[in-house]
Each structure stands twice: as C-alpha cells, then as structure tokens.
Amino acid sequence: MKKVKAFFSKIGAWLKNHKPSKRRLIQLYTALLYNANLKGYFDGQLFNGATKKMCLPGFNCYSCPGAIAACPLGSLQSALTNSDHKWTAYVFGILAIFGLMLGRTICGFFCPVGLCQELLYKLPTPKVKKSIFTRIFSYFKYVILAVMVVFLPLAYMEGSPVPSFCKYICPTGLFEGAFGLLPNNPTFYGMLGVVFSWKFLLLVAFIVLSVVFFRFFCRFICPLGAIYGFFSRVALLGVKVDKKKCTDCGLCIAVCKMDTKHVGDHECIHCGECISVCPTKAISWKGSALFVRTNDLEAPTPEGKPLTAFLQPSEGVETSAAEAAAPVEGAIVETAVAETVSETAAMETQSAPMTLVDRANPKTMPSAIEARAKEKKRNKILEAVAWALAGVVLIGAIVYANVFVKAKPAMPSVQGEICKGFTLETYGGEDYVLSENSGKATVLLFWQADKKECEDLMPTYNEVATRLKKSANLLAVHTEETYGKDVGKWIEKWQGYEIVFAHDSMQETMGSNLYDGLGGEGAYPMLAVLDGAGRIRHTATSGFATAAELEQMIVNNLQGADVGCYFGKDVTLTEVNSGAEYALNSLSKPMVINFWFTTCAPCCEEMPEINAFHEEYAGAIDTIAVHQKGESLDVVRQFLAGYRDIHGKLWKDYGISFAIDQVHGENAETLYYYLGGKTAWPMTVVLNESGYVIYRIDGKMEHEDFAQLKSILDAELAK
Amino acid sequence: MQTKHEKIRKIYGICLIALTALLGVGFAVRALLLYLGGGYTQEGVERALTQMLFPVCVWAAAIIAGVVVYALFPAEGKKPKVGKNLSKQLAILSARLPEEAWAEGKKRFHRKSVILWSVCGGVCAALLFFPICYLLNGENFNYTDTNTEMINAAIHTFPFVGVAFAVVVVAYLLQQSFLRVALAEVKKLTVEAAKAGTLTAPQGAVVKETWLDNPKTLWIIRGVLLAGALFLLVFGIANGGLNEVFKKAAELCTECVGLA
C-alpha cells in the first residue's frame, strides 16, 4: 500500500513539475486559433471566409481544412510569381510588420510547427547537442530561402508559377493539408504521385530528427524563421540583454537549445528560458517596463557574495600540460581572469541596492516592496484579462468559421443526375447554353491559368476534341476568378484549337458557379462529362493525362442506350431489298430504328404509323425497321412482299427501310442488345445525326408517343 | 543509485529512439511500396495504415512507459555547462597584458585569421558561383518537366552549398587551432607579467555595446521600417493584394498537399 501510494505520489509530482508553461499554453492557443475551422476536418472542405485574406504570422498551410487564414510563405511565393507583374506588395508589407512587431517571437510562441517539434523533442531519447557544426548548418535555411522561396519561383515567373518550397520541401502541406483532406476526398488518391511520396519521406525524416534535434526544421530549414531573423535586433517584442549588467558568463547560451551566439540574435526564438538562469538578471523581456518590473535583486545571496562568484575561472580556462606542472603559474592565470570577472560583478552589484526584508513581518517591508506587491497584483489582473480576451477571440473565431461561413453549396454532383441548366460566357464567341446543346454531349474541363498540369493538358484535350468533334462539345472552362492573371494571353497561345474556351460564373439555377455546382473540391484540372440529355455521367480530377485516357474516359461514360447517351458503335445495317447500307456511327440525318419481328402483333400494328411518321418528314429523317436476328433474308423478303397493312398497302412499298439484326463487334451482340433491348417488342430508338440517343420507347407506340417524338425531332431538326 | 537511475534512463532513451526510427522507416517503406505498386488508392492506404497500427500502438505504449520510468527514476537538474570560449579567454587575458607585450603576436594572429577567412570566403564564393549561374540561366527552367528541372537544380546547387559549408567548418577548426596557439602564448606572457608585476588592472565589463544598442538609433530604424512596411501594406491592399492572397488561400493548393 505504501509503495503504491509512493508510486502515485511520484506520478503526481512529475505531473506537477511538468504542467504546461505559459508559453506552451500560448502555442496551443495559437495552433487552435489558426485552425479554428473545425468542421473542415469532417467535411473535407477548405475554409473560404474573409479571414483568408489575412496572412498568419506563423507557419500553417492554407490548404489545411481547418486553416482560417493564409500561409505567409505560400502567399510570398505567389506574390513573387505574379505574372501580371503587378507587384503584390501586401505580402511583403505584412511580413515586414510581423517581423518588426514580433520578430522571431513568432517562432517561439505563435508557430504550430514549432510546437509540434518541441513536443517531439520532449521524448526522452538521447539528444544531439548543439555545436559549431549545428551553428554553421543553421545558415542552410538562408540557402533554402534564397533558392527555393525566391530564385526558383522567379525562374518560373513567365509561365505557371511553381511554389518550389511548398511543392518540394514544406512538410506542413502534407501533415495538415493532405492528411486532413484525403479521408473526405477519395478522388484525391488518384492524384498522389512522386511528389507526395518524396514529401512523405521528408515529413517522416523531419519527425524522427525532431526527436533528437531541438526544433530541427526551425533551425535548419524554415525560411520563415530566416526572414523573421532579419528583424531580430529591431523587433519590438522579445528578449533583450542589458549589456551594462551582462558579465558575458555564457550561461544563457549554455542553457539555450537554439544555435544562438548572443541572446536575441537571429537564431533566438525568444522563448525566455535564459531569463531565469542569468545570475545578474541582465536578460528581460522588451517592453517589460509596461507590465512587469525589470528583474531586480531582492535580497543578498546566502553566501553574501555577488552571484557571479560561482563562475570560477577554472571552469573556462584551459591549462596546458606545462602549466599543469607549474601550479603556481596556473593559479596566476586563474586569478588574472577572476579579477576581471569579479571587477565586473562588483561594479554592477554596487548599482543594485539590496535590502534585507522579512516578509513575515509587514512592518519591516518598506514602501518599495509594498508597491511591488501591488504591481504583482495588477499584473495578475492584467494577465487574467488578457487570457479572457484571448478566449473571446478564439471562441469568436471558432463560431465564425464553423457557423457563419457556409460551406460550398451541395450540388447535383451525383453521377446520373440531370445537371441544372447553365450558361457560360465564351472567350470571343456566343454564350454556351446547355439547353441549346441538348442531344450532344458536353464535356467540361475546368482549369486555372496558374496550374502547370492544366497548361500541359490543353493540347491533349484539343486532340481529343478534334476526334470527338462530331459527337461532343468540348469546353475548357476557366475558373470564375483570374487571380489577376491575364487569361486571354493563355487562350491566344491556343488559338485555332477546336476547344471552346469559356469562363465560369455564377449560375442562377445552381446558386454557385458551375465548378462548385458540379461538385468541384478545389482541385484542378477537373473533367465533367454530361451526356446529350444533360445527365452528369462522370467527374474526375485524375486519370486523363494522355489523349487515349481522356478519350476513353469520355467515350466510356457517354456510351449507353439511355436517352442522351452516345451510341458510337461500329454497326452497319443492310437494307433487305436494295442492299443499301446504313452506318450508325456516321449518320447524315436523325434515324428512327424500330425493332420488330414477323409474328409480333403489336409490331405489325404500329408499322403503318411509323411509315406515315416517316413520310411526314419527307426525307429529313431515315427510318429503318430491324427484324429480330435469326430470321433468314428470304423469309423477311417474302413477308414484306406479301403482307398488307390495314390500308391495303404492301410493306415492301413503304418508304422506310428494312434490315435484319446481326451480331456485331467482338462480343457478338445484336443491335437490339446494344440499344438496351431486353424483352420488349417492339422497341423504337431514335438517334440524332451525332449518334446520340434522343428518344426511346419499349413497346408499341401510341398516339401521344408519336406526338412526343415529333416534338423532339422538330427540335433536333431546327438546330 | 544515481548511476543506476541514469543507466536505466539511458537504456530506455536508446530503445525509444531506435523504436521511433524503425517506425519512421516502416512508414516510409509502406509509402514507397504503395507508390511503386501501382499508385495510391484509398483501399491501399487504409490497408497500410491498418498494418502500421500495431507498431504505432507499441510506440505510444513505450512513451507512456517513459512517463513511468521518469517518474520512478527522475533526472536531477543539471547545472548548465558553459562551453570553453577560447576567444573570450584570449580577450580577457590579452587585455591585462602591457601594451607592447603581445603586439607582434597579436599582429601575427590577426594576419593568420584574415588570410584564413579571406581564403575561406574566396573558396565559398567560387563554389557558389556555379549554382548561382545555373539558377540564373532561364534555359534550365523551361517547363519541359518541372520535377526533373527541380532535381537538376538541386544537383547543381546543393552539393556546392554542402562543400561550402564543409569549407567553413574546416576554416573554423583552423581558427580554433590558431586561437589555441595564441592563447598559450598569451598565458605565458601573463605569467611573466604577473611575476614582473606589470599586469594591468582589470578593465571591467567585457560586453561592448554596439551602435544598434543606442535606443535612439534603434527607434529611428524601427520608424523607417514601420513606415516602409505600412506603405507596402497599403499599396498592396490598394492593388488588390488581399484578393490575390484570398484566391490562392481559398482554393486547394495541389502543389502544397502533394497532389501535383
């Protein structure tokens, strides 16, 4: 029992000694504030509220579903590569203000990446201590800044920008962005490739190295820390050293885990751990006079000596072998150093008045001490107010992000649903209206001017557009906003293409732009295939890198027997009497195909009406009656020659053509089967001249069916 | 007892770092197998994560065990060890010597340092000349294949940077050896001066203030920087910078999340 009690008391003591410090609480608070869009982790959607116009001071990927503001480094790379040559000074200005106000205090207090690394470093493993090698290597982040953040994005400025650091090195994009988005966006898996694999390996390396190196990423890689490091000496917040009090004992540097040479230099993250170890209290927070008193000595040390007395020169002075053999001379050297140190300490201790007080007896407490006590109380109140305000801000941000900012509206992005009508403004042409293009598939490729993948895909898309010209309208739709880039310049490059270039915009029928309306999740390029009836057949963000893949994707999703589908099969029918051939994949006019067989009574009943319907159109349409497979040519000819309808007319005198179904294609299937026939006879299918199914009916056609077919054919012929 | 506690903690630490490294390698290998085995799919990723679940649980259990280990065998707080700063020692001792005592030696030391760092600077400049030329050559970045161009840029840049860092390290080590020689000389002279009674009085504070420590200068610089920053901010906002940042931030950055 005693042992158990002792065990738990040890655990309790450990927890008490390891309760989070204020700095840790601020770091946690900041991480939560930066990622206040909690619902983003559940719905996989990015936050698109107004706060995303602001840059955060710390490192936080803006493609994290929880992020409520922009990443400063990503924004910087975008600003550098603005191909409009309209210098985006906003990002430079905001970085300068952050640097000036906070400097690398941001790294120590306001960076979630730093927090993660510090937590990993807490794992009790052997650590790699800092040394001159780590100090020299800490300059590598300036190389990363120059090459990956400045040089390389500028090198690609004339074309699609390449944010090199974000794309090839930054681990937060993967850790926050990819891992946050993938569970709710399974379509993204197809887009993961070599870059993801490389960055994943880097992320794993950074995590493992952060366990043994303190803040590995911050010290050696982070370009944002490099930028803020330039402002170290002038930043308003952070730690500072009173050089009049400093004896250069080196304790602050010894206790610091960063590669600092002096407190407050470009490597210092202003965590404040050095403040408590400084024996002369020379280190304090900048601006501390506003809220707290500077570190003062309250009472003399028990030994009655200046605090610097424990810094015996023998700790720092090397003695050579010769001097070791001559202790007298070694002692002389030690004394020479000690005198210098003591002189410094003596000079300073004279300026720091010390008063012996007995706190238990208030009468001995002079007014200065009383004033100090009052100030402490005031500081506690100020701290409480500050935390309360911070809490209000955090709750406000969470409520704003999760309640007031609506997610992109849900749309009929489910395949098989009819797409709501839309109108797209084309570049230099007439508007593209979906309803005016029914009967032919509409293929939409959504793209963005600053995406290399989109630029690469366009010639391929055009190749497919040329081949599928007859059977589909292929459009390239640029996003609603242009990022300030001149999209016209891109389209000029592709002049002469078969593709119709259009511009997305708000669609009243959808309540959003077309991209969002078709379920776009922020990824480009995105392909959407709508059949001739406007039904959404397919949407994809990957799997169409080559012309063959693209064409296959379009054709596979368009082919079918339903209204709006594209027939597209290589089937030729031969007229039984004249021998004329009808190739169904190259029609010159709409074709009515009626399936029948001789012993089918409903088929024989409706045939005269079909003939009358055909004759009404006087050559504007073709009509062919296809007999069921298996019957011989002679039998059918005999039937046609001998069968009279109710008006006494022989079928062989009809204006419509007659053929016999055959097996076609590799799978040896009949045309009846291809066009979706199962057991119903007669069956009538109408193809327009593009090869799309514009009408179908299983069973005998009644009067109203003919009326409906008439209206469809009239609309088709009117185009 | 102390040593035993330290031993236990050390063994635990080594085991934990080995386990962490193994877990990292495990994740890396799984990712590579997925990529090389036909690409990432939801099913494949879920299967891989399921397979890694046990090792992750073991690792988490090891960390929890560490809490117990450190609670039972707590580490004593160690006094921070101040490193040997040879140049500081040299400065302190040489300041106490009579003026002419170490004049020649001082000149020699400074000459060696200047030559060393000049050569180091020259070598680094020469090494960095090639990557800079490569980066400034637009023909190397013509969008043929961005990934390949990046690999080429890395091949033409980072090895040179690595060698430059190595040169700096070597220069630093040489500087340390110069310091040791100078320090030995100064110590000898200090002993002689002390015996002769010619050691000068201690100078006091060794931390010199720079021009940047002047509050007035500091505030002037801050004022100028703040004015410049505010100008950039206002100009950028007027130029539509907010919208540009918004559009980039509100849409998915496929490059950032590894989808490009």
Side-chain angles (χ1 to χ4, degrees), chain A residues 189-481:
Chain A
Y189 283 100
M191 296 170 73
L192 303 179
V194 66
V195 172
F196 176 84
S197 305
W198 161 246
K199 285 182 74 171
F200 185 80
L201 295 179
L202 268 186
L203 174 66
V204 168
F206 285 145
I207 289 173
V208 173
L209 287 168
S210 293
V211 175
V212 290
F213 285 89
F214 181 71
R215 285 192 172 227
F216 180 85
F217 181 78
C218 299
R219 283 160 77 188
F220 306 123
I221 309 290
C222 181
L224 196 58
I227 292 170
Y228 290 143
F230 293 130
F231 295 91
S232 278
R233 298 301 302 278
V234 298
L236 289 169
L237 270 184
V239 291
K240 65 175 180 183
V241 179
D242 184 349
K243 290 190 177 171
K244 291 189 175 67
K245 289 184 181 176
C246 176
T247 58
D248 202 21
C249 63
L251 266 178
C252 48
I253 302 304
V255 87
C256 179
K257 298 189 203 69
M258 297 294 286
D259 297 290
T260 47
K261 208 171 173 185
H262 307 286
V263 169
D265 70 4
H266 61 276
E267 291 299 318
C268 176
I269 58 169
H270 304 274
C271 61
E273 285 185 14
C274 50
I275 294 177
S276 54
V277 299
C278 180
T280 56
K281 306 289 183 191
I283 307 174
S284 58
W285 294 104
K286 291 181 193 176
S288 55
L290 290 174
F291 299 105
V292 298
R293 283 171 65 92
T294 50
N295 296 316
D296 275 347
L297 290 172
E298 237 183 27
T301 56
E303 297 85 5
K305 293 180 217 169
L307 289 177
T308 49
F310 78 90
L311 291 171
Q312 294 307 317
S314 56
E315 281 184 354
V317 173
E318 276 185 72
T319 50
S320 66
E323 283 169 5
V328 171
E329 285 150 353
I332 292 169
V333 170
E334 288 174 16
T335 309
V337 175
E339 281 175 352
T340 306
V341 176
S342 299
E343 179 68 20
T344 311
M347 280 164 66
E348 294 318 312
T349 51
Q350 279 165 19
S351 64
M354 301 180 217
T355 314
L356 197 60
V357 298
D358 178 5
R359 289 191 178 279
N361 184 359
K363 285 183 186 170
T364 64
M365 288 176 67
S367 58
I369 304 297
E370 273 179 7
R372 177 112 192 240
K374 273 186 186 167
E375 272 197 39
K376 265 192 173 174
K377 193 176 171 186
R378 186 196 73 169
N379 290 340
K380 277 202 181 316
I381 293 168
L382 277 173
E383 195 181 317
V385 167
W387 277 112
L389 278 172
V392 165
V393 167
L394 179 62
I395 291 167
I398 290 173
V399 167
Y400 167 72
N402 293 277
V403 174
F404 290 102
V405 175
K406 300 289 177 208
K408 290 178 185 173
M411 291 306 301
S413 58
V414 177
Q415 290 176 18
E417 288 185 16
I418 298 284
C419 178
K420 290 184 178 148
F422 59 80
T423 302
L424 290 173
E425 201 182 298
T426 62
Y427 286 93
E430 286 179 8
D431 288 354
Y432 186 88
V433 184
L434 181 67
S435 56
E436 289 172 12
N437 288 281
S438 64
K440 199 170 176 186
T442 299
V443 180
L444 304 158
L445 181 75
F446 292 91
W447 68 291
Q448 273 185 347
D450 61 347
K451 289 265 187 261
K452 176 87 175 45
E453 308 78 51
C454 300
E455 194 197 338
D456 288 345
L457 187 59
M458 213 57 79
T460 307
Y461 191 53
N462 181 57
E463 196 185 316
V464 173
T466 311
R467 289 208 287 269
L468 296 181
K469 196 172 158 181
K470 201 167 175 265
S471 49
N473 293 324
L474 271 71
L475 286 83
V477 185
H478 193 270
T479 59
E480 191 177 1
E481 297 297 334

Side-chain angles (χ1 to χ4, degrees), chain A residues 7 10-11 14 46 48-49 52-53 61-63 70 75 78 82 86-94 96-97 100-101 123-126 132-133 136 139-140 143 147 151-152 155-156 159-160 162-164 166-168 173-174 177-178 181 186 188-189 191-197 199-201 204 208 211-212 233-236 243-244 246 248-249 251 254 310 316-319 323 329 332-333 336-337 339-340 343-344 347 448 451-453 481 483-484 522 524, chain B residues 9 12-14 16-17 20-21 24-25 27-28 31-32 35 40-42 45 59 63 67-68 70-72 79-82 84 86 88-89 92-93 96 135-136 140-144 146-147 149-150 153 157-158 161 165 168-169 172-173 180 187-188 190-191 194-195 199 202-210 212-213 218-219 221-222 225-226 229-230 232-233 235-237 239 241-260:
Chain A
F7 172 79
K10 276 189 177 176
I11 298 284
W14 183 90
L46 293 185
N48 56 4
K52 270 219 161 157
K53 293 180 184 180
C61 185
Y62 44 34
S63 289
S75 303
S78 293
N82 189 325
K86 208 170 58 174
W87 191 38
T88 312
Y90 164 68
V91 178
F92 294 99
I94 206 159
I97 286 186
L100 194 55
M101 294 293 169
L123 295 179
T125 64
I132 184 59
F133 306 107
I136 290 171
Y139 287 94
F140 185 67
V143 176
V147 174
F151 262 114
L152 287 175
Y156 286 105
S160 297
V162 178
S164 325
C166 295
K167 187 172 178 181
Y168 295 104
L174 233 62
L181 290 168
F188 288 173
Y189 283 100
M191 296 170 73
L192 303 179
V194 66
V195 172
F196 176 84
S197 305
K199 285 182 74 171
F200 185 80
L201 295 179
V204 168
V208 173
V211 175
V212 290
R233 298 301 302 278
V234 298
L236 289 169
K243 290 190 177 171
K244 291 189 175 67
C246 176
D248 202 21
C249 63
L251 266 178
F310 78 90
V317 173
E318 276 185 72
T319 50
E323 283 169 5
E329 285 150 353
I332 292 169
V333 170
V337 175
E339 281 175 352
T340 306
E343 179 68 20
T344 311
M347 280 164 66
Q448 273 185 347
K451 289 265 187 261
K452 176 87 175 45
E453 308 78 51
E481 297 297 334
Y483 293 85
Y524 292 89
Chain B
R9 287 196 304 271
Y12 168 78
I14 291 169
L16 183 61
I17 188 59
T20 306
V25 167
F27 271 106
L32 281 174
Y35 172 65
Y40 297 92
T41 59
Q42 189 175 8
V45 169
W59 181 75
I63 292 171
V67 173
V68 176
Y70 271 74
L72 293 174
K79 212 188 217 177
K81 195 177 170 187
V82 179
K84 293 182 170 69
L86 299 180
K88 193 162 78 172
Q89 289 174 37
I92 291 173
L93 287 175
R96 304 254 350 240
L135 291 170
L136 290 176
N140 294 321
F141 306 101
N142 54 14
Y143 291 95
T144 315
T146 322
N147 290 343
E149 286 167 4
M150 282 296 141
T157 310
F158 292 118
V161 170
F165 274 112
V168 172
V169 168
Y172 172 80
L173 293 172
R180 280 194 198 93
K187 279 178 186 171
K188 200 173 167 185
T190 304
V191 168
K195 283 180 179 170
L199 265 185
Q203 308 265 319
V206 297
V207 181
K208 290 186 185 146
E209 289 196 344
T210 62
L212 212 50
D213 292 309
L218 209 52
W219 279 108
I221 294 171
R222 282 172 179 158
L225 283 174
L226 184 64
L230 285 172
L232 285 172
L233 195 65
F235 178 71
I237 291 172
N239 237 2
L242 280 176
N243 284 336
E244 297 231 0
V245 167
F246 177 74
K247 291 311 165 191
K248 184 69 187 170
E251 298 289 347
L252 179 66
C253 174
T254 51
E255 296 96 345
C256 303
V257 301
L259 298 185

